[in-house]
Amino acid sequence: MHQWQEFNQSFKKYCIETLKNKLSGLDKIYEICVYPFEVSGKFFRPFLLYKTAEFIDSNKTESMLPFCLALELIHNYSLIHDDLPCMDNADFRRGFPTVHKKFGEAEAVLAGDMLLTLAFEIISSCSGFQPEKIVKVIKKVSQYSSYRYLITGQYLDLWFQKGIVQKNLENIKLINFYKTSGLIMLAVEIPIILLDPLYSIKFKLVKYGYWLGILFQVTDDILDNDGIVEIVSIEEARDIASKIYNKIRSLELSQDLLEIANFVYSRGF
Ligand code: GRG
């Protein structure tokens, strides 16, 4: 998607500039914290947030950038911590050494802590919205990044790996949902809170975020040949992906939001 590439170019600059400002005078800390943004990923969640906001109110997209950044900060924190030796013990991410491989384990723990907390400072500093709405966003981001989804998902995954949680399809689906969907649902639900669309639109968008999060993880597992694909065949996983994709299509949202779903879906084929 051409628009996505354009967004990514300017958004990457925005992320790096903001980190530079926030961490000015802390050169070594900045070097560590900015590294995941220099070797950046797809910026899927920020782009989704931006496009959801555009669908609701095309005049409000620029005011969404701090929220896009906050989501990407939280996403990167979760990846840095997930890669640690005590978790997934990964040496590479996005084709580059992981943060702990490049800078050390304690440094990586602290960088993750820095990005997570910075996300909340950035959200709470947003002017231009009613304070009640900002508080609502902070509450939702806190819940989805912790006990509701992200951290609970990580606990379940840890216990799944240790054999404490049973290895079956239901549990894999649950773990995937918790680990992946929280931030994707936030990308859709933050603009809903801030821009207050009509109830009928809101209802469809919430469903879109829910199904897109699940689709994202199913096709990620197909790509990586793990997760759900350890329990069901690739064909069955693709069948699950197709059913979810059809649910998203039937929502009849905008062409742009459908194209995002197309991107996610087609990764699995
Ligand atoms: C709080 C330590 C901790 C973990 C929370 C998010 C998470 C749980 C673990 C990270 C690893 C993982 C399998 C996450 C699932 C979500 C996922 C598929 C992440 C990759 O997202 P992409 O493809 O990555 O958007 P890029 O590199 O493009 O940013």
Side-chain angles (χ1 to χ4, degrees), residues 4 36 39-46 72 74-84 87-88 93-94 116 145 149-155 157 175-176 178-181 183-184 216-217 220-221 223-224 226 263 267:
W4 193 342
V39 297
S40 53
K42 296 182 285 300
F43 294 131
F44 175 73
R45 295 149 193 83
E72 192 62 18
I74 297 173
H75 171 58
N76 280 292
Y77 128 76
S78 76
L79 299 180
I80 294 170
H81 281 191
D82 187 60
D83 289 337
L84 287 169
M87 300 263 183
D88 246 18
R93 175 162 298 275
R94 300 167 177 158
L116 174 63
S145 318
Y149 299 111
L150 219 54
I151 311 251
T152 300
Q154 190 74 354
Y155 266 117
D157 197 16
I175 292 167
N176 283 349
Y178 273 58
K179 279 179 62 168
T180 308
S181 294
L183 292 185
I184 293 178
F216 191 94
Q217 187 61 52
D220 202 65
D221 287 352
L223 267 181
D224 294 346
D226 62 11
F263 162 80
R267 299 188 312 162

Side-chain angles (χ1 to χ4, degrees), residues 6 29 52 62 70 77 129 145 155 204 228 246 254-255 261:
E6 257 179 33
I29 298 177
T52 305
E62 289 310 297
Y77 128 76
F129 293 99
S145 318
Y155 266 117
K204 281 188 182 190
I228 198 168
N246 286 336
S254 70
Q255 187 56 30

